Amino acid sequence: MSKADATLVGRVAAHFAESARLKQQAADVLGAPIARAGSMLADSLKAGGKVLACGNGGSAADAQHFAAELVNRFEVERPPLAAVALTTDTSTLTSIANDYAYVQVFSKQVRALGRRGDVLLAISTSGNSANVLEAVQVAHELGVRVIAFTGTGGGKIGAALKPDDILLAVPSKVTARIQEVHLVLLHCLCDAIDFQLFGAKQ
């Protein structure tokens, strides 16, 4: 192995080690609020509600991933569940951004689709995404509860949450590491929903 290859292997190993450490730290800190979030989602879906999910960039991909796991399936065969990623309709996104402002691309959709009893999954690694924050504010107006995925501290979104909302703030300021843990959080929530609504994994 060349010196350059050895250096890259070392960098790869460091990424894995850092990610593993953070995931364990997050499990210790976030276990209880993740469980509460899973119960909130299951209760909403059982009552006929739906999940709206939004975020930018990698967080947009996470919103789409989560909606797909609910509408299609996670790990067990079960009926489809109501979820909408607010990041996928290019005509809606571009018309709102063009006619009004990009900061409204999610909030206008929440206002159109959100109903009391629904849940908004608001994803922002910094916790400061202006369009996600505005979606949270509209959700509150409509009686839609919020689960926020952020990094350390929660940022402006964390500060805007109400007592019955749930903040899942990954204890890191590194975007890549936060995103890696967000994916685990999504899968934990999918499993919690399936377990509560359809029983233990087959």
Side-chain angles (χ1 to χ4, degrees):
M1 182 183 299
S2 70
K3 184 177 179 180
D5 287 343
T7 298
L8 289 176
V9 168
R11 292 180 68 85
V12 169
H15 280 293
F16 273 89
E18 184 181 356
S19 184
R21 284 194 299 270
L22 179 60
K23 285 171 182 167
Q24 187 57 63
Q25 183 183 359
D28 295 339
V29 173
L30 298 178
I34 293 169
R36 291 198 303 272
S39 294
M40 179 195 292
L41 289 163
D43 289 346
S44 174
L45 292 164
K46 186 175 182 179
K50 60 184 172 295
V51 183
L52 305 174
C54 65
N56 298 284
S59 298
D62 284 342
Q64 293 168 218
H65 183 160
F66 188 61
E69 301 282 29
L70 295 189
V71 171
N72 185 26
R73 53 161 282 174
F74 180 51
E75 292 186 325
V76 297
E77 293 297 334
R78 46 96 168 133
L81 299 172
V84 180
L86 305 181
T87 56
T88 59
D89 185 337
T90 54
S91 293
T92 294
L93 293 168
T94 56
S95 66
I96 294 170
N98 183 65
D99 296 346
Y100 297 94
Y102 188 72
V103 74
Q104 297 182 44
V105 294
F106 301 137
S107 61
K108 286 181 75 76
Q109 293 186 77
V110 172
R111 195 174 296 283
L113 301 173
R115 300 293 181 269
R116 182 173 296 276
D118 292 344
V119 177
L120 173 68
L121 180 62
I123 310 174
S124 170
T125 57
S126 68
N128 296 320
S129 300
N131 54 5
V132 177
L133 176 60
E134 187 160 314
V136 168
Q137 293 165 341
V138 171
H140 288 156
E141 292 178 30
L142 299 175
V144 173
R145 294 178 70 183
V146 178
I147 298 169
F149 281 18
T150 72
T152 295
K156 295 178 182 178
I157 291 170
L161 297 182
K162 293 188 173 182
D164 58 350
D165 295 328
I166 297 173
L167 174 63
L168 299 177
V170 177
S172 175
K173 295 182 178 180
V174 180
T175 298
R177 298 291 89 85
I178 295 168
Q179 290 174 330
E180 289 159 8
V181 178
H182 281 180
L183 181 57
V184 179
L185 299 185
L186 291 179
H187 286 163
C188 288
L189 294 181
C190 290
D191 176 74
I193 291 166
D194 283 1
F195 177 77
Q196 291 173 90
L197 297 185
F198 305 105
K201 186 187 301 183
Q202 302 298 315

